Every structure is written in C-alpha cells, then in structure tokens.
Amino acid sequence: MDAQTHTLRLVQGLEDLLDQFPLSNVIRSHAELTEQTLVAWSERLRGLGYPGRKFWDYPAELMYDEAGVLVGAMFVLIQAAITETVSIVKRIYELNGQSIRKDAVMSLEAEINPKLGLSYVAIANGAANFYKHRFEWPEDWDESVSTQQQATINLVRVVGMSPKQDLADNLLSAVRAIANTSDGNIKDLAGLIVEKWRARLALHLRVQFALTQYP
C-alpha cells in the first residue's frame, strides 16, 4: 500500500463514526451514571436540610465519593480515545515524511476554553492524569516532582483543582471547564472531545495532505 492510500485510510478511520461509537457510548453511559449518582446525592442533602460539608452523613459522603470515581473513570476512557487519535495523526505525519509532537496534535483543531486558554483535549487529558497519578504526588502539590507531574499539576490548578479539595470537587471542576463553555453538560464530553475534534482533525489532514479522493 502506497503512503497516500495508507494516509487516506487512516484519515477515514478518524472520520468513521462507527469506529468511535463503542467507546463514545461507554463514556456517555458513565456520564449518565454519574448524573444519577449526583442527583441521588443532592436528594440526600435535601433530606438533611442542605447542611454544611462537615455535617454530611456517611451515605452522602459515599455518594459524592462514588461520583468522583465515576468522573475519573470517564476521563480515563476519554484519554484512551485521545491517545488513539494522537497515535493515528502521528502515524499520518510519519507516512508523509514529517513528525509532530503529542502536545502539538492535542492542540491541533482543538476547541479552547477562552477563559482558561486551555483546550478541552488538554483539560480532559490532565484530569485523567490527575485521577490516575494523584497518589504519587506530594500532599500539598508543592514539593519537588518530575517535569511531567509538574506540568499536570500546573494545568489542573488552572482548571480549579486543589490538594485541599476532594476527588469529586476536583474532577467536576474539569467537567465545568469543558461542558459549561458550550452550554452543555457532562454527557456532552464524548462529543466535544472525541467526535467533534476527530472530525475537525480529519478535515484538516485532508487539506494538509491533499487527500481529496477516496481510494
């Protein structure tokens, strides 16, 4: 298979909604379950008279912790889709005798949160890394860490995360940084970060590498 045909087929893979459907559907299922958990938590607090945090009962604490885990798992699934997309784009560049860094791919055609100056893709990737690696970080996030850890810490601080907040508070701040800027909700994340981004990338690559014909 020549390079142009191989490139075109990889671009078509980015465009193929059927390829994306299984993972996107699972992400949306996690989002729905998260929303159900948050509704149940809110109802629990209503029954308690909306007390301050230190007066939550044990079931309310468990529900909120569960919501945090669900959001974290959702971001890890989104990160898997991001990683796949980055790999495809990097391969396309290699086939055409070029190279591109991961961070450059993640900013290519990515929607930006105008208030934060961060792309939705970068926010989701950072949230996933926070969820996976937060136990490796120092408790105050201020001690000496690796360059990669520091980059993630810097990003999630901009999003509104803090070592003083719990898991759900931190991850929901990432959700708001993505969904609220498009008047959406948690169920919009798969479409915003995975599907729409991949579609814009595919169009960009078709133009960049003059892929105007189907094989």
Side-chain angles (χ1 to χ4, degrees), residues 1-202:
M1 185 186 304
D2 63 85
Q4 186 173 39
T5 300
H6 194 176
T7 298
L8 186 53
R9 290 188 177 177
L10 288 171
V11 171
Q12 289 172 333
L14 288 174
E15 297 168 327
D16 193 336
L17 294 177
L18 288 177
D19 280 356
Q20 301 170 35
F21 178 78
L23 184 54
S24 293
N25 197 42
V26 172
I27 293 168
R28 288 190 173 90
S29 295
H30 269 72
E32 290 174 3
L33 186 55
T34 302
E35 288 190 336
Q36 292 168 11
T37 303
L38 287 170
V39 168
W41 163 75
S42 182
E43 289 294 316
R44 183 75 186 182
L45 291 186
R46 184 171 67 86
L48 296 172
Y50 296 110
R53 178 61 185 268
K54 66 180 180 180
F55 298 111
W56 289 6
D57 64 4
Y58 190 59
E61 291 281 1
L62 285 178
M63 289 176 187
Y64 201 56
D65 288 344
E66 181 181 345
V69 172
L70 285 166
V71 179
M74 182 183 63
F75 274 122
V76 171
L77 287 169
I78 290 171
Q79 187 182 54
I82 292 170
T83 300
E84 178 190 39
T85 303
V86 168
S87 297
I88 291 171
V89 174
K90 291 182 73 173
R91 180 59 179 149
I92 288 169
Y93 272 75
E94 290 168 2
L95 285 167
N96 290 272
Q98 301 180 36
S99 63
I100 186 169
R101 291 170 52 88
K102 177 181 177 180
D103 56 350
V105 177
M106 288 173 57
S107 64
L108 189 64
E109 295 295 335
E111 260 188 284
I112 303 293
N113 179 311
K115 293 181 180 179
L116 303 180
L118 295 171
S119 74
Y120 296 165
V121 176
I123 293 169
N125 190 65
N129 284 333
F130 160 76
Y131 179 69
K132 293 188 301 183
H133 302 296
R134 65 193 187 281
F135 294 116
E136 302 168 14
W137 298 357
E139 288 187 8
D140 61 3
W141 298 4
D142 289 328
E143 296 176 23
S144 179
V145 293
S146 70
T147 302
Q148 186 173 7
Q149 288 173 327
Q150 190 63 60
T152 302
I153 289 171
N154 291 344
L155 185 149
V156 299
R157 281 189 185 277
V158 171
V159 170
M161 296 190 193
S162 162
K164 296 180 180 180
Q165 297 180 152
D166 63 15
L167 180 65
D169 286 336
N170 279 327
L171 289 170
L172 287 172
S173 68
V175 172
R176 288 190 291 271
I178 299 169
N180 282 3
T181 52
S182 290
D183 298 322
N185 56 46
I186 195 170
K187 286 183 285 190
D188 292 334
L189 265 63
L192 286 169
I193 303 168
V194 182
E195 296 159 3
K196 292 182 179 180
W197 178 49
R198 284 174 66 122
R200 289 193 302 271
L201 275 174

